[in-house]
Amino acid sequence: MDHLLARLAIDSLSVSKRIVDLLFKSFFPVNEPEKEWCCRCITLIQMNPMAARKFYQFAHKHTAATNIIKLMLAIRRILNSCIQVDFDVTEINDSNKENSTQGGPEVLAQDRAVVSGLLEVVVILWRSVEKALKQNEEAHKYTVAKFGNVMAKYFQAFEDERSTVPLIQLASFMPPAAVPTFSCGVLSRLRRMDSGATPAQFSQLLDCICSWGQVADILELVSDWLSESVPKQGDMASKSRKVQIQETVKAEPDLALAYLEFLFSHTSTREKVLGLGEGPLKQLHTLLGNWKSVLYTHLSSSTEDPNSPKVETALKALMYHGRLGAHLQHNSTEGRFYLLSLEHVATWVADRVLPFLTKRRSDDGGDSGKSQQLATQITESFLMVCRDVFLVGLGDETFKGQILHLCSLVLLSEAGYLCIPAVLPILKEVANSVVPDDNNQDQEIHGESTLVILGVVANIFQKIIELLARCLRKEPEEGQLLCQSAIPGLTDFLQVAQTWEAALLSGVYSTVFAAIIVEKRHLLQKLTFPEEVLIPQSVDEMPPLSNVLLSVILKSPFITRSFLAEVSSSLDSDALSSLTELAAVLHVLAVIKQTGHSKGGIKSAAVSVQQHLDKHAVCSVDSSEIQRVMYDSSVKTLNELLHF
């Protein structure tokens, strides 16, 4: 409905005035001042889609459905005056007597903006009384009959795009038998649609199919196209090719997936599809899964086969295999067949895809680079599907374990670091799903298994931080891009980790703190001149990984407090004692101090640093000049923190 209201909103004042004028002359007995006032009000309303929506909602709430239907029929009489028909002549002539001075039907028929505006108003009004019509069978039959007997003429007379859109929507409100000329050709139009068609070209046709209860027909078309497009082996391939030569319509797998995208992206159409039951949908699920063979062919082949389906199509099919499986698992009353199917895909990714997730070689002629890129896309796409499964609460303990195992294998692959942005959301969703709510009574029952899963998540997170650090050392430019793409995932994960038990939470922040200190310590150890000992004033002055991690931490006061608690804990355990390490800690605290938050946590950590730093007072006398400058700088920074 929004797009129709938006279209009405761009009408000019003159067009809106003519629409209102026609409506009121045909139905409402009002005088000219009242008509002018109504015209201006509706024009202003139509200029704002939100206001238009509220206006029609108000009209629906405070206007009887009977009167709205009468208004729709009045608009129908106006539209009928635009076409030459051989029925309802008396009705048309009667409706035109009062309008004879306005220029006649010929003038109105030429004003397409007015005609399309009237059609759009009818759609909006029909939608507002749709529920009432369904409850009153007699009124529904009457309204459908009145519009049904002119729809064919409307389609012939009003062929411009803006008029066609509301006409198709009107047709979707009626039974297919009421608009036979149009309804009998909808499936054929969908079958012959160009492969590059946009949703705007087929969305309304699919809406019609679903509203008419013919969704099984479109699902059969999608299944046929997906089945015919997957290359087959041996004799079956020859038979398939012979059949396809005789087909008058070429299989369009991209269009089939576009149809699926639309059907599953809208609640009303998705419910119609899922309402077909498991039988035909299970077959479609299997067909989508068969496209893995296309992906492996592209992975393992060094040459492009022009007759092979596109890799982008196969990737989409793999994702829809998982999405459809999630829907079917959600509707399944027993068993875990579709979760098991996803676990099989996870095994396929581990066995067939990850071997290609290797670093690019300079002497491979580009083949390994292409395979690596595709292997990354496949892995990321599958992990995205798994994230969505966890997001809607479908993954059981076994499934979580399988996918976490796959994440570990991904990160252990030679170029697995490329998939870090896709792995982090998995960790977040798994952690979020196993941490019980405050009122969850199952906490004690599943406590042990929860700790095991969260322990695995923490270990994978540690591996991610190690890979980011290694990538920054070996490939600084690529590493910085990777870190930037990982920031959303890191932020979400640390937010969820806040709900963990103290021991597990400490492990997560211990990993983050260690990574920051190691990087900063390494930088301080490389200094060659005393003048290079500088106290950072912001995260931008920290080394790359520390920059990213601190920027994530400082977004949340809660995360900052947890991080500072880990800093104090690490210092109290004597894990850090060298002057370089203490200087690195003070640099971190100085950056956090600039935010003005967590004063208590900063002072507590500063006191812990002071206890260790005092031990270096005597040693600094006999140390190198850089060490003495570093000590003096640390003492100055420490005093500033203690008096913060």
Side-chain angles (χ1 to χ4, degrees):
M1 298 303 297
D2 290 349
H3 71 284
L4 292 177
L5 292 172
R7 294 287 289 276
L8 276 171
I10 64 175
D11 276 333
S12 66
L13 177 62
S14 61
V15 171
S16 296
K17 185 173 181 179
R18 291 200 61 189
I19 293 175
V20 175
D21 184 68
L22 289 166
L23 289 179
F24 280 107
K25 273 189 170 296
S26 299
F27 187 64
F28 295 110
V30 297
N31 55 40
E32 286 299 323
E34 289 175 334
K35 185 169 61 178
E36 180 69 20
W37 180 82
C38 290
C39 174
R40 291 187 179 278
C41 286
I42 292 181
T43 300
L44 290 173
I45 289 169
Q46 290 175 349
M47 291 176 66
N48 186 324
M50 182 63 71
R53 188 182 301 110
K54 291 181 179 179
F55 172 78
Y56 285 112
Q57 288 174 348
F58 179 85
H60 170 60
K61 183 177 181 180
H62 297 281
T63 305
T66 304
N67 289 333
I68 292 179
I69 295 171
K70 288 179 180 178
L71 177 57
M72 290 164 50
L73 295 174
I75 298 173
R76 171 185 171 276
R77 289 197 298 270
I78 299 170
L79 292 170
N80 285 353
S81 70
C82 303
I83 58 177
Q84 298 298 322
V85 292
D86 56 2
F87 51 86
D88 279 352
V89 176
T90 303
E91 178 189 29
I92 294 174
N93 290 337
D94 290 342
S95 68
N96 284 333
K97 287 178 182 178
E98 191 175 359
N99 290 325
S100 59
T101 60
Q102 300 296 320
E106 292 81 5
V107 176
L108 178 59
Q110 295 172 6
D111 197 339
R112 294 304 185 188
V114 174
V115 170
S116 58
L118 290 171
L119 288 169
E120 289 166 352
V121 170
V122 171
V123 170
I124 294 168
L125 294 175
W126 193 310
R127 179 68 75 184
S128 71
V129 295
E130 189 173 22
K131 185 176 180 181
L133 283 173
K134 289 181 179 179
Q135 294 173 348
N136 189 329
E137 185 177 354
E138 184 178 349
H140 183 260
K141 286 183 178 180
Y142 179 80
T143 306
V144 167
K146 296 299 285 185
F147 277 94
N149 64 10
V150 292
M151 285 295 289
K153 295 292 184 180
Y154 286 177
F155 274 111
Q156 292 176 9
F158 312 137
E159 295 180 331
D160 57 294
E161 182 181 356
R162 185 173 170 183
S163 296
T164 302
V165 171
L167 279 175
I168 294 177
Q169 192 152 4
L170 274 177
S172 70
F173 296 156
M174 309 178 198
V179 282
T181 306
F182 171 73
S183 62
C184 66
V186 170
L187 187 61
S188 179
R189 288 175 63 180
L190 288 168
R191 187 185 297 274
R192 288 172 171 77
M193 194 76 65
D194 292 335
S195 59
T198 62
Q201 295 174 274
F202 58 73
S203 58
Q204 285 195 301
L205 299 178
L206 290 175
D207 270 330
C208 287
I209 288 288
C210 292
S211 65
W212 295 337
Q214 298 174 356
V215 68
D217 295 335
I218 195 64
L219 201 66
E220 181 181 359
L221 173 62
V222 167
S223 299
D224 289 344
W225 278 351
L226 291 173
S227 176
E228 293 169 13
S229 302
V230 177
K232 300 177 178 61
Q233 299 177 352
D235 295 335
M236 289 299 294
S238 300
K239 293 178 182 178
S240 177
R241 282 193 292 268
K242 289 178 182 178
V243 171
Q244 290 178 16
I245 291 173
Q246 297 173 4
E247 286 284 341
T248 57
V249 179
K250 179 185 176 184
E252 298 288 358
D254 290 303
L255 198 54
L257 295 174
Y259 290 171
L260 282 182
E261 168 69 26
F262 176 82
L263 292 172
F264 279 97
S265 297
H266 299 80
T267 304
S268 59
T269 54
R270 182 171 62 246
E271 290 176 351
K272 297 289 179 59
V273 173
L274 296 176
L276 291 175
E278 189 176 8
L281 293 175
K282 189 173 184 179
Q283 179 187 6
L284 176 60
H285 180 259
T286 302
L287 289 172
L288 290 166
N290 291 342
W291 280 75
K292 297 195 303 293
S293 62
V294 177
L295 289 172
Y296 185 71
T297 299
H298 282 282
L299 269 176
S300 56
S301 176
S302 58
T303 58
E304 290 280 350
D305 182 1
N307 297 320
S308 178
K310 295 184 297 185
V311 66
E312 294 82 5
T313 307
L315 272 173
K316 288 180 182 178
L318 177 64
M319 293 192 69
Y320 282 112
H321 172 74
R323 285 180 59 184
L324 179 58
H327 284 298
L328 294 174
Q329 185 64 52
H330 180 265
N331 287 354
S332 178
T333 56
E334 58 182 17
R336 57 188 309 275
F337 174 83
Y338 298 101
L339 283 181
L340 184 61
S341 175
L342 281 173
E343 290 171 9
H344 290 160
V345 178
T347 302
W348 175 81
V349 171
D351 294 344
R352 294 296 191 97
V353 179
L354 295 188
F356 294 94
L357 199 57
T358 57
K359 291 185 178 179
R360 299 182 181 183
R361 311 287 184 232
S362 58
D363 57 348
D364 62 2
D367 290 339
S368 70
K370 185 175 67 175
S371 296
Q372 180 224 66
Q373 183 179 10
L374 179 54
T376 303
Q377 289 178 316
I378 295 171
T379 305
E380 290 178 336
S381 298
F382 179 67
L383 291 177
M384 191 182 303
V385 170
C386 295
R387 177 206 63 187
D388 293 340
V389 170
F390 291 130
L391 189 62
V392 297
L394 286 178
D396 57 19
E397 189 173 321
T398 302
F399 184 71
K400 291 169 188 171
Q402 290 284 345
I403 302 307
L404 288 176
H405 178 62
L406 174 63
C407 290
S408 299
L409 295 178
V410 169
L411 296 177
L412 290 173
S413 301
E414 189 177 359
Y417 62 89
L418 296 172
C419 297
I420 285 176
V423 172
L424 281 167
I426 294 289
L427 301 187
K428 179 249 183 179
E429 293 302 335
V430 170
N432 199 38
S433 67
V434 299
V435 174
D437 299 329
D438 294 338
N439 299 324
N440 194 334
Q441 300 301 319
D442 293 336
Q443 182 169 0
E444 296 181 1
I445 300 176
H446 300 296
E448 184 176 350
S449 62
T450 296
L451 290 176
V452 171
I453 290 178
L454 292 180
V456 174
V457 169
N459 290 338
I460 295 176
F461 178 73
Q462 180 179 354
K463 182 64 177 177
I464 286 175
I465 300 299
E466 292 173 358
L467 288 174
L468 289 175
R470 184 187 305 171
C471 187
L472 282 166
R473 287 197 306 270
K474 294 186 176 182
E475 301 287 345
E477 291 185 5
E478 183 181 24
Q480 289 192 26
L481 291 174
L482 182 63
C483 285
Q484 290 299 317
S485 62
I487 286 178
L490 289 168
T491 304
D492 292 342
F493 176 75
L494 290 180
Q495 289 281 5
V496 171
Q498 286 294 110
T499 61
W500 293 9
E501 294 183 3
L504 287 169
L505 182 62
S506 176
V508 170
Y509 285 110
S510 175
T511 297
V512 175
F513 180 55
I516 293 174
I517 296 304
V518 168
E519 185 183 40
K520 187 63 180 177
R521 181 188 65 189
H522 178 70
L523 191 64
L524 292 173
Q525 289 172 342
K526 291 172 62 179
L527 298 180
T528 55
F529 300 101
E531 296 81 8
E532 295 175 338
V533 181
L534 300 173
I535 304 299
Q537 299 300 311
S538 68
V539 293
D540 294 333
E541 297 178 23
M542 295 291 285
L545 183 58
S546 301
N547 182 331
V548 169
L549 294 176
L550 284 174
S551 66
V552 169
I553 290 169
L554 297 179
K555 287 179 181 179
S556 167
F558 300 104
I559 294 178
T560 302
R561 284 198 291 270
S562 297
F563 176 74
L564 288 171
E566 180 57 34
V567 173
S568 299
S569 176
S570 297
L571 290 166
D572 294 341
S573 66
D574 296 329
L576 303 171
S577 58
S578 72
L579 178 60
T580 308
E581 291 172 336
L582 295 174
V585 174
L586 288 169
H587 286 194
V588 172
L589 295 177
V591 170
I592 298 176
K593 171 178 172 287
Q594 299 303 318
T595 65
H597 301 303
S598 304
K599 294 182 179 181
I602 292 174
K603 288 184 178 181
S604 176
V607 170
S608 299
V609 173
Q610 186 180 34
Q611 296 172 357
H612 293 281
L613 190 61
D614 290 342
K615 301 175 185 178
H616 294 274
V618 178
C619 300
S620 64
V621 177
D622 301 323
S623 301
S624 66
E625 186 176 2
I626 291 180
Q627 290 286 309
R628 288 196 298 273
V629 172
M630 189 179 298
Y631 174 78
D632 293 339
S633 174
S634 297
V635 171
K636 180 181 178 182
T637 303
L638 178 62
N639 289 330
E640 293 175 353
L641 293 171
L642 290 173
H643 294 88
F644 175 45

